[in-house]
Amino acid sequence: RDPAAGIDSYVAGPLAVAEVEVGWLTGTLAEVPPTVRHAVELAAGSGHTAMQGELAGYLRRAGHEASAPADVPGPWAAALAGRWRDAAAGWSRLGDRYEEAVELAGADDADARAAGRATLAALGAEAVVRVVGVEG
């Protein structure tokens, strides 16, 4: 483990997001790891709201309770509020096809789910297609 990851949410946060995403995709994140809890604390302590939103979003995808401040920026705010259409549109405006597709693939609309899964498949994100196929 990189010692710098323990002191800065700009380092610890992305590493924690990756750890949570791998756990989500493999179904192995039964508990939130200490490294992820620490990254959440670092982000909260430094007021890094973007990282708080991303961590909360990924933790929720993995089936864990996670809170974030009300002022989370960008599409994470809509995603955390359950507004998948707004979140997908926000990711689209930012050019983030992966996050847009994940939002669509988890939607409560069959056409949106199909479009999201098709984009994920085109991106080679087969593990995500399998996970959202089970969830949706």
Side-chain angles (χ1 to χ4, degrees):
R1 181 169 106 108
D2 183 347
I7 59 170
D8 186 341
S9 65
Y10 287 87
V11 175
L15 293 172
V17 167
E19 187 173 0
V20 172
E21 185 171 26
V22 168
W24 170 52
L25 296 175
T26 60
T28 59
L29 198 72
E31 295 182 20
V32 178
T35 53
V36 174
R37 284 195 308 273
H38 184 65
V40 169
E41 291 167 6
L42 286 171
S46 65
H48 190 174
T49 57
M51 184 50 58
Q52 288 176 280
E54 188 170 2
L55 282 164
Y58 273 90
L59 283 165
R60 287 183 186 180
R61 286 177 186 167
H64 294 280
E65 292 292 321
S67 62
D71 60 346
V72 168
W76 286 117
L80 293 168
R83 298 188 328 267
W84 62 265
R85 285 182 181 87
D86 294 337
W91 291 120
S92 178
R93 283 190 300 278
L94 292 172
D96 192 329
R97 292 177 60 211
Y98 174 79
E99 291 294 348
E100 175 188 8
V102 171
E103 288 296 333
L104 293 173
D108 59 4
D109 175 90
D111 292 336
R113 276 195 313 273
R117 291 174 183 167
T119 299
L120 289 166
L123 292 172
E126 297 300 327
V128 183
V129 173
R130 282 191 298 278
V131 169
V132 297
V134 170
E135 294 172 353

